[in-house]
Coordinates of all heavy atoms in Angstrom, one line a residue:
M16 N 6.3 15.7 1.3 CA 5.1 15.7 0.6 C 4.1 14.9 1.3 O 4.3 13.8 1.9 CB 5.3 15.0 -0.8 CG 4.1 14.9 -1.6 SD 4.2 14.1 -3.2 CE 5.9 14.4 -3.8
Q17 N 2.8 15.4 1.4 CA 1.8 14.7 2.1 C 0.7 14.4 1.1 O 0.4 15.1 0.2 CB 1.2 15.5 3.2 CG 2.1 15.6 4.5 CD 1.3 16.2 5.6 OE1 0.2 16.7 5.5 NE2 1.9 16.1 6.8
F18 N 0.1 13.2 1.4 CA -1.0 12.8 0.5 C -2.3 12.7 1.4 O -2.2 12.3 2.5 CB -0.8 11.4 -0.1 CG 0.4 11.3 -1.0 CD1 1.6 10.9 -0.6 CD2 0.2 11.7 -2.3 CE1 2.7 10.8 -1.5 CE2 1.3 11.7 -3.2 CZ 2.5 11.2 -2.8
K19 N -3.4 13.2 0.8 CA -4.6 13.0 1.5 C -5.4 12.0 0.7 O -5.7 12.3 -0.5 CB -5.4 14.3 1.6 CG -6.7 14.2 2.3 CD -7.3 15.6 2.6 CE -8.6 15.4 3.2 NZ -8.7 15.7 4.6
F20 N -5.7 10.9 1.3 CA -6.5 9.9 0.6 C -8.0 10.1 0.7 O -8.5 10.3 1.8 CB -6.1 8.5 1.2 CG -4.7 8.1 0.9 CD1 -3.8 8.0 1.9 CD2 -4.3 7.8 -0.4 CE1 -2.5 7.6 1.7 CE2 -3.0 7.4 -0.6 CZ -2.1 7.3 0.4
A21 N -8.6 10.3 -0.4 CA -10.0 10.5 -0.5 C -10.6 9.4 -1.4 O -9.9 8.9 -2.3 CB -10.3 11.9 -1.0
G22 N -11.8 9.2 -1.3 CA -12.5 8.2 -2.2 C -12.6 6.8 -1.5 O -12.4 6.7 -0.3
N23 N -12.8 5.9 -2.3 CA -13.1 4.5 -1.8 C -11.8 3.7 -1.6 O -10.7 4.2 -2.0 CB -14.0 3.7 -2.6 CG -13.5 3.5 -4.0 OD1 -12.3 3.5 -4.3 ND2 -14.4 3.3 -5.0
F24 N -11.9 2.6 -1.0 CA -10.7 1.8 -0.7 C -10.0 1.3 -2.0 O -8.8 1.3 -2.0 CB -11.1 0.6 0.1 CG -10.0 -0.5 0.3 CD1 -8.9 -0.2 1.1 CD2 -10.1 -1.7 -0.4 CE1 -7.9 -1.1 1.2 CE2 -9.1 -2.6 -0.3 CZ -8.0 -2.3 0.5
R25 N -10.7 1.0 -3.0 CA -10.1 0.5 -4.2 C -9.2 1.6 -4.8 O -8.1 1.3 -5.3 CB -11.1 0.0 -5.2 CG -11.8 -1.3 -4.9 CD -12.8 -1.6 -6.0 NE -13.7 -2.6 -5.5 CZ -13.5 -3.9 -5.7 NH1 -12.5 -4.4 -6.4 NH2 -14.4 -4.8 -5.2
S26 N -9.6 2.8 -4.8 CA -8.8 3.8 -5.4 C -7.6 4.1 -4.6 O -6.5 4.3 -5.1 CB -9.6 5.1 -5.6 OG -10.0 5.6 -4.4
T27 N -7.7 4.0 -3.2 CA -6.6 4.2 -2.4 C -5.6 3.0 -2.6 O -4.4 3.3 -2.7 CB -7.0 4.2 -0.9 OG1 -7.9 5.3 -0.7 CG2 -5.8 4.4 0.0
F28 N -6.1 1.8 -2.6 CA -5.2 0.7 -2.8 C -4.5 0.7 -4.2 O -3.3 0.4 -4.3 CB -6.0 -0.6 -2.7 CG -5.1 -1.9 -2.5 CD1 -4.5 -2.1 -1.4 CD2 -4.9 -2.7 -3.6 CE1 -3.7 -3.2 -1.2 CE2 -4.1 -3.8 -3.5 CZ -3.5 -4.1 -2.3
A29 N -5.2 1.2 -5.2 CA -4.6 1.3 -6.5 C -3.5 2.3 -6.5 O -2.5 2.2 -7.1 CB -5.7 1.7 -7.5
L30 N -3.7 3.4 -5.8 CA -2.7 4.5 -5.7 C -1.5 3.9 -5.0 O -0.3 4.1 -5.4 CB -3.2 5.7 -4.9 CG -2.2 6.8 -4.6 CD1 -1.7 7.4 -5.8 CD2 -2.8 7.8 -3.6
V31 N -1.7 3.2 -3.9 CA -0.5 2.6 -3.1 C 0.2 1.6 -4.0 O 1.4 1.6 -4.0 CB -1.0 2.0 -1.8 CG1 0.1 1.2 -1.2 CG2 -1.6 3.0 -0.9
A32 N -0.5 0.8 -4.8 CA 0.1 -0.2 -5.7 C 0.9 0.5 -6.7 O 2.0 0.1 -7.1 CB -0.9 -1.1 -6.3
A33 N 0.4 1.6 -7.3 CA 1.1 2.4 -8.3 C 2.4 3.0 -7.8 O 3.4 3.0 -8.5 CB 0.2 3.5 -8.9
V34 N 2.3 3.5 -6.6 CA 3.5 4.0 -5.9 C 4.6 2.9 -5.8 O 5.7 3.1 -6.1 CB 3.2 4.6 -4.6 CG1 4.5 4.9 -3.8 CG2 2.4 5.9 -4.7
G35 N 4.1 1.7 -5.4 CA 5.1 0.6 -5.3 C 5.7 0.2 -6.6 O 6.9 0.0 -6.7
V36 N 4.9 0.3 -7.7 CA 5.5 -0.1 -9.0 C 6.5 1.0 -9.4 O 7.6 0.7 -9.9 CB 4.3 -0.2 -10.0 CG1 4.9 -0.2 -11.4 CG2 3.5 -1.4 -9.7
C37 N 6.2 2.3 -9.1 CA 7.1 3.3 -9.5 C 8.4 3.2 -8.7 O 9.5 3.5 -9.3 CB 6.5 4.7 -9.2 SG 5.1 5.1 -10.4
L38 N 8.3 2.9 -7.4 CA 9.5 2.8 -6.6 C 10.3 1.6 -7.0 O 11.6 1.6 -6.8 CB 9.1 2.6 -5.2 CG 8.5 3.9 -4.5 CD1 8.1 3.6 -3.1 CD2 9.5 5.0 -4.6
S39 N 9.7 0.6 -7.6 CA 10.5 -0.6 -8.0 C 10.9 -0.6 -9.4 O 11.6 -1.5 -9.9 CB 9.7 -1.9 -7.7 OG 8.6 -1.9 -8.6
A40 N 10.6 0.4 -10.2 CA 11.0 0.5 -11.6 C 12.5 0.7 -11.7 O 13.1 1.4 -10.9 CB 10.3 1.7 -12.3
P41 N 13.1 0.0 -12.7 CA 14.6 0.2 -12.8 C 15.0 1.6 -13.2 O 14.2 2.3 -13.9 CB 14.9 -0.9 -13.9 CG 13.6 -1.2 -14.6 CD 12.5 -0.9 -13.6
T42 N 16.1 2.0 -12.8 CA 16.7 3.3 -13.2 C 17.7 3.1 -14.3 O 18.0 2.0 -14.7 CB 17.3 4.0 -12.0 OG1 18.4 3.1 -11.5 CG2 16.3 4.2 -10.9
S43 N 18.1 4.2 -14.9 CA 19.1 4.1 -16.0 C 20.4 3.5 -15.5 O 20.8 3.6 -14.4 CB 19.3 5.5 -16.6 OG 19.9 6.4 -15.6
G44 N 21.1 2.9 -16.4 CA 22.4 2.3 -16.1 C 22.6 1.2 -17.1 O 21.8 0.9 -18.0
R45 N 23.8 0.6 -17.0 CA 24.1 -0.5 -17.9 C 23.3 -1.7 -17.6 O 22.9 -2.0 -16.4 CB 25.6 -0.8 -17.8 CG 26.5 0.3 -18.1 CD 27.9 0.0 -18.1 NE 28.2 -0.9 -17.0 CZ 29.5 -1.3 -16.7 NH1 30.5 -0.7 -17.3 NH2 29.7 -2.1 -15.7
A46 N 23.0 -2.5 -18.6 CA 22.2 -3.7 -18.4 C 22.7 -4.7 -17.4 O 22.0 -5.2 -16.6 CB 22.0 -4.4 -19.8
E47 N 24.1 -4.8 -17.4 CA 24.6 -5.8 -16.4 C 24.7 -5.3 -15.0 O 24.8 -6.0 -14.1 CB 26.1 -6.2 -16.9 CG 27.0 -5.0 -17.0 CD 27.0 -4.4 -18.4 OE1 26.2 -4.8 -19.3 OE2 27.9 -3.6 -18.6
D48 N 24.5 -3.9 -14.8 CA 24.4 -3.4 -13.5 C 23.0 -3.4 -12.9 O 22.9 -3.2 -11.7 CB 24.9 -1.9 -13.5 CG 26.4 -1.8 -13.8 OD1 27.1 -2.8 -13.6 OD2 26.8 -0.7 -14.3
K49 N 22.0 -3.6 -13.7 CA 20.6 -3.6 -13.2 C 20.3 -4.8 -12.4 O 20.6 -5.9 -12.8 CB 19.7 -3.4 -14.4 CG 19.8 -2.1 -15.1 CD 18.8 -2.0 -16.2 CE 18.9 -0.7 -16.9 NZ 18.0 -0.5 -18.0
K50 N 19.6 -4.6 -11.3 CA 19.1 -5.7 -10.5 C 17.7 -5.9 -10.9 O 17.0 -4.9 -11.3 CB 19.2 -5.3 -9.0 CG 20.6 -5.1 -8.5 CD 20.5 -4.8 -7.0 CE 21.5 -3.8 -6.6 NZ 21.4 -3.4 -5.2
P51 N 17.2 -7.1 -10.7 CA 15.7 -7.3 -10.9 C 14.9 -6.4 -9.9 O 15.4 -6.1 -8.8 CB 15.5 -8.7 -10.6 CG 16.7 -9.3 -10.0 CD 17.8 -8.3 -10.2
P52 N 13.8 -5.8 -10.3 CA 13.0 -5.0 -9.5 C 12.6 -5.7 -8.2 O 12.3 -6.9 -8.2 CB 11.8 -4.6 -10.3 CG 11.8 -5.5 -11.4 CD 13.1 -6.1 -11.6
E53 N 12.6 -5.0 -7.1 CA 12.2 -5.6 -5.8 C 10.7 -5.9 -5.8 O 9.9 -5.1 -6.3 CB 12.5 -4.6 -4.7 CG 12.2 -5.1 -3.3 CD 12.4 -4.0 -2.2 OE1 12.9 -2.9 -2.5 OE2 12.2 -4.4 -1.1
K54 N 10.4 -7.1 -5.3 CA 9.0 -7.5 -5.3 C 8.3 -6.6 -4.3 O 8.7 -6.5 -3.1 CB 8.9 -9.0 -4.9 CG 7.5 -9.5 -4.9 CD 7.5 -11.0 -4.5 CE 6.1 -11.5 -4.5 NZ 6.0 -12.9 -4.1
V55 N 7.1 -6.1 -4.7 CA 6.3 -5.3 -3.8 C 5.5 -6.2 -3.0 O 4.7 -7.1 -3.5 CB 5.4 -4.3 -4.6 CG1 4.5 -3.5 -3.7 CG2 6.2 -3.4 -5.4
T56 N 5.6 -6.1 -1.6 CA 4.8 -6.9 -0.7 C 3.9 -6.1 0.2 O 4.2 -4.9 0.4 CB 5.7 -7.8 0.2 OG1 6.5 -6.9 1.0 CG2 6.7 -8.7 -0.7
Y57 N 2.9 -6.7 0.6 CA 2.0 -6.0 1.5 C 2.7 -5.6 2.8 O 2.6 -4.4 3.2 CB 0.7 -6.8 1.8 CG -0.3 -6.1 2.7 CD1 -1.2 -5.3 2.2 CD2 -0.2 -6.3 4.1 CE1 -2.1 -4.6 3.0 CE2 -1.1 -5.6 4.9 CZ -2.1 -4.8 4.4 OH -2.9 -4.1 5.2
A58 N 3.4 -6.5 3.4 CA 4.0 -6.2 4.7 C 5.1 -5.2 4.6 O 5.3 -4.3 5.5 CB 4.6 -7.5 5.3
D59 N 5.9 -5.2 3.6 CA 7.1 -4.3 3.5 C 6.8 -3.0 2.8 O 7.4 -2.0 3.1 CB 8.2 -5.0 2.7 CG 8.7 -6.2 3.4 OD1 8.6 -6.3 4.6 OD2 9.3 -7.1 2.7
H60 N 5.8 -2.9 1.9 CA 5.6 -1.7 1.2 C 4.2 -1.0 1.4 O 4.1 0.2 1.5 CB 5.7 -2.0 -0.3 CG 7.1 -2.5 -0.6 ND1 7.4 -3.8 -0.7 CD2 8.3 -1.8 -0.8 CE1 8.7 -4.0 -1.0 NE2 9.2 -2.8 -1.1
I61 N 3.1 -1.8 1.5 CA 1.8 -1.3 1.6 C 1.4 -1.0 3.1 O 0.9 0.1 3.4 CB 0.8 -2.2 1.0 CG1 1.1 -2.6 -0.5 CG2 -0.6 -1.7 1.0 CD1 1.3 -1.5 -1.4
L62 N 1.7 -2.0 3.9 CA 1.3 -1.8 5.4 C 1.9 -0.6 6.0 O 1.2 0.1 6.7 CB 1.7 -3.1 6.1 CG 1.2 -3.1 7.6 CD1 -0.3 -2.9 7.7 CD2 1.7 -4.4 8.2
P63 N 3.1 -0.2 5.8 CA 3.7 1.0 6.4 C 2.9 2.3 6.0 O 2.7 3.2 6.8 CB 5.1 1.1 5.9 CG 5.5 -0.3 5.6 CD 4.2 -1.0 5.1
I64 N 2.4 2.3 4.8 CA 1.6 3.5 4.3 C 0.3 3.5 5.0 O -0.2 4.5 5.5 CB 1.5 3.5 2.8 CG1 2.9 3.6 2.1 CG2 0.5 4.5 2.3 CD1 2.9 3.4 0.6
F65 N -0.4 2.3 5.0 CA -1.7 2.2 5.7 C -1.6 2.5 7.2 O -2.4 3.2 7.7 CB -2.3 0.8 5.5 CG -2.9 0.5 4.2 CD1 -3.3 -0.7 3.8 CD2 -3.2 1.6 3.3 CE1 -3.9 -1.0 2.6 CE2 -3.8 1.3 2.1 CZ -4.1 0.0 1.7
R66 N -0.5 2.1 7.8 CA -0.4 2.4 9.2 C -0.2 3.9 9.4 O -0.8 4.5 10.4 CB 0.8 1.7 9.8 CG 0.5 0.2 10.1 CD 1.6 -0.4 10.9 NE 1.2 -1.8 11.2 CZ 2.1 -2.8 11.4 NH1 3.4 -2.6 11.3 NH2 1.6 -4.0 11.7
A67 N 0.6 4.5 8.6 CA 0.9 6.0 8.7 C -0.3 6.8 8.4 O -0.6 7.9 9.0 CB 2.1 6.4 7.9
K68 N -1.1 6.4 7.4 CA -2.2 7.3 6.9 C -3.6 6.8 7.2 O -4.5 7.7 7.2 CB -2.1 7.4 5.3 CG -0.8 7.9 4.8 CD -0.6 9.4 5.2 CE 0.7 10.0 4.7 NZ 0.8 11.3 5.1
C69 N -3.8 5.5 7.5 CA -5.1 5.0 7.7 C -5.3 4.3 9.0 O -6.5 4.0 9.4 CB -5.4 4.0 6.6 SG -5.0 4.6 4.9
G70 N -4.3 4.0 9.7 CA -4.3 3.2 10.9 C -5.2 3.7 12.1 O -5.8 3.0 12.8
T71 N -5.3 5.1 12.2 CA -6.0 5.6 13.3 C -7.5 5.3 13.2 O -8.2 5.1 14.2 CB -5.8 7.1 13.5 OG1 -6.2 7.8 12.3 CG2 -4.4 7.4 13.9
C72 N -8.0 5.2 12.0 CA -9.4 4.9 11.8 C -9.7 3.5 11.4 O -10.8 3.0 11.5 CB -10.0 5.8 10.7 SG -10.1 7.6 11.2
H73 N -8.7 2.8 10.8 CA -8.9 1.5 10.2 C -8.0 0.4 10.8 O -7.5 -0.4 10.1 CB -8.8 1.5 8.7 CG -9.8 2.4 8.1 ND1 -11.2 2.0 8.0 CD2 -9.7 3.6 7.5 CE1 -11.8 3.0 7.4 NE2 -11.0 4.0 7.1
G74 N -7.7 0.5 12.1 CA -6.9 -0.5 12.8 C -7.8 -1.5 13.4 O -9.0 -1.4 13.4
A75 N -7.2 -2.5 14.0 CA -8.0 -3.6 14.7 C -8.9 -3.1 15.8 O -10.0 -3.5 16.0 CB -7.1 -4.7 15.2
D76 N -8.4 -2.0 16.5 CA -9.1 -1.5 17.7 C -10.3 -0.6 17.3 O -11.2 -0.4 18.0 CB -8.2 -0.8 18.7 CG -7.4 0.3 18.0 OD1 -7.1 0.2 16.8 OD2 -7.0 1.2 18.7
Q77 N -10.1 0.1 16.1 CA -11.2 1.0 15.6 C -11.4 0.7 14.1 O -10.6 1.3 13.3 CB -10.9 2.4 15.9 CG -12.0 3.3 15.4 CD -11.6 4.8 15.6 OE1 -10.6 5.2 16.1 NE2 -12.5 5.7 15.1
A78 N -12.3 -0.1 13.7 CA -12.5 -0.5 12.3 C -13.6 0.4 11.8 O -14.8 -0.1 11.6 CB -12.8 -2.0 12.2
K79 N -13.4 1.6 11.5 CA -14.4 2.5 10.9 C -15.0 1.9 9.6 O -14.2 1.5 8.7 CB -13.8 3.9 10.7 CG -14.8 4.9 10.3 CD -14.1 6.3 10.1 CE -15.1 7.3 9.8 NZ -14.4 8.7 9.7
G80 N -16.3 1.8 9.5 CA -16.9 1.2 8.4 C -16.6 -0.2 8.2 O -16.8 -0.8 7.1
G81 N -16.2 -0.9 9.3 CA -15.9 -2.3 9.2 C -14.6 -2.6 8.5 O -14.3 -3.8 8.2
L82 N -13.8 -1.6 8.1 CA -12.6 -1.9 7.3 C -11.4 -1.9 8.2 O -11.1 -0.9 8.9 CB -12.4 -0.8 6.3 CG -11.2 -0.8 5.4 CD1 -11.2 -2.1 4.5 CD2 -11.2 0.4 4.4
V83 N -10.7 -3.0 8.2 CA -9.4 -3.1 9.0 C -8.3 -3.3 8.0 O -8.3 -4.1 7.1 CB -9.5 -4.4 9.9 CG1 -8.2 -4.6 10.6 CG2 -10.6 -4.3 10.9
L84 N -7.2 -2.4 8.1 CA -6.1 -2.4 7.2 C -4.8 -2.9 7.8 O -3.8 -2.6 7.2 CB -6.0 -1.0 6.6 CG -7.2 -0.5 5.8 CD1 -6.9 0.9 5.4 CD2 -7.5 -1.4 4.6
D85 N -4.8 -3.5 9.0 CA -3.6 -3.8 9.6 C -3.0 -5.2 9.3 O -2.0 -5.6 9.8 CB -3.6 -3.6 11.1 CG -4.6 -4.5 11.8 OD1 -5.3 -5.2 11.1 OD2 -4.7 -4.4 13.1
N86 N -3.8 -6.0 8.4 CA -3.2 -7.2 7.9 C -3.8 -7.5 6.6 O -4.9 -7.0 6.2 CB -3.4 -8.4 8.9 CG -4.9 -8.8 9.1 OD1 -5.5 -9.2 8.1 ND2 -5.4 -8.5 10.3
Y87 N -3.1 -8.3 5.8 CA -3.6 -8.5 4.4 C -4.9 -9.2 4.3 O -5.8 -8.8 3.5 CB -2.5 -9.4 3.7 CG -2.9 -9.7 2.2 CD1 -2.6 -8.7 1.3 CD2 -3.4 -10.9 1.8 CE1 -2.9 -8.9 -0.1 CE2 -3.7 -11.1 0.5 CZ -3.5 -10.2 -0.4 OH -3.8 -10.4 -1.7
G88 N -5.2 -10.2 5.1 CA -6.5 -10.9 5.0 C -7.6 -10.0 5.3 O -8.6 -10.0 4.6
A89 N -7.5 -9.2 6.4 CA -8.6 -8.3 6.7 C -8.8 -7.2 5.6 O -9.9 -6.8 5.3 CB -8.3 -7.6 8.1
T90 N -7.7 -6.8 5.1 CA -7.7 -5.7 4.0 C -8.5 -6.3 2.8 O -9.3 -5.6 2.2 CB -6.3 -5.3 3.6 OG1 -5.7 -4.8 4.7 CG2 -6.3 -4.3 2.5
M91 N -8.2 -7.5 2.4 CA -8.9 -8.1 1.3 C -10.4 -8.4 1.5 O -11.1 -8.5 0.6 CB -8.2 -9.4 0.8 CG -6.8 -9.1 0.2 SD -6.8 -8.2 -1.3 CE -6.4 -6.6 -0.8
Q92 N -10.8 -8.6 2.8 CA -12.2 -8.8 3.1 C -13.0 -7.5 2.9 O -14.2 -7.6 2.6 CB -12.3 -9.3 4.5 CG -12.0 -10.7 4.7 CD -12.2 -11.1 6.2 OE1 -12.4 -10.3 7.0 NE2 -12.1 -12.4 6.4
G93 N -12.4 -6.4 3.0 CA -13.1 -5.1 2.8 C -13.8 -4.7 4.1 O -13.5 -5.2 5.2
G94 N -14.8 -3.9 3.9 CA -15.6 -3.3 5.0 C -17.0 -3.4 4.7 O -17.5 -4.2 3.9
A95 N -17.7 -2.4 5.4 CA -19.2 -2.4 5.3 C -19.7 -2.1 3.9 O -20.8 -2.6 3.5 CB -19.7 -1.3 6.2
S96 N -18.9 -1.4 3.1 CA -19.4 -1.1 1.7 C -18.9 -2.2 0.7 O -19.1 -2.0 -0.5 CB -18.9 0.3 1.3 OG -17.5 0.3 1.3
G97 N -18.3 -3.2 1.1 CA -17.9 -4.3 0.2 C -16.4 -4.6 0.2 O -15.6 -4.0 1.0
A98 N -16.1 -5.6 -0.6 CA -14.7 -6.1 -0.7 C -13.8 -5.1 -1.4 O -14.3 -4.3 -2.2 CB -14.6 -7.4 -1.4

């Protein structure tokens, strides 16, 4: 399955966060067999998606619109259109 991200950064980030929540949701089973959901982190869950889908235009070497997505701090700063 391929996703085409369109729209602004907030909607893309919200989509990625929602995917992380869905992936970490517990599945059916006995209560004693359930593990706590894995913590969603930028480095382990969000960054691989940004590198695969957004890195060619929003990496450190080419920050289209001033938006760099290859580290958490730069991602939170936003780009030319805002945070």
Side-chain angles (χ1 to χ4, degrees):
M16 178 183 329
Q17 285 194 351
F18 295 99
K19 181 170 175 110
F20 293 109
N23 63 25
F24 170 71
R25 288 181 196 264
S26 63
T27 302
F28 193 76
L30 174 64
V31 172
V34 168
V36 169
C37 290
L38 292 176
S39 66
T42 58
S43 62
R45 298 184 326 187
E47 57 271 5
D48 292 340
K49 293 183 183 178
K50 296 182 216 173
E53 182 180 0
K54 182 178 179 182
V55 176
T56 64
Y57 181 84
D59 294 335
H60 300 96
I61 308 301
L62 185 57
I64 296 170
F65 280 169
R66 281 190 178 152
K68 302 293 181 181
C69 311
T71 55
C72 294
H73 297 289
D76 56 331
Q77 181 183 357
K79 187 174 181 181
L82 180 61
V83 177
L84 298 175
D85 63 358
N86 68 66
Y87 181 79
T90 299
M91 292 294 99
Q92 284 181 350
S96 62

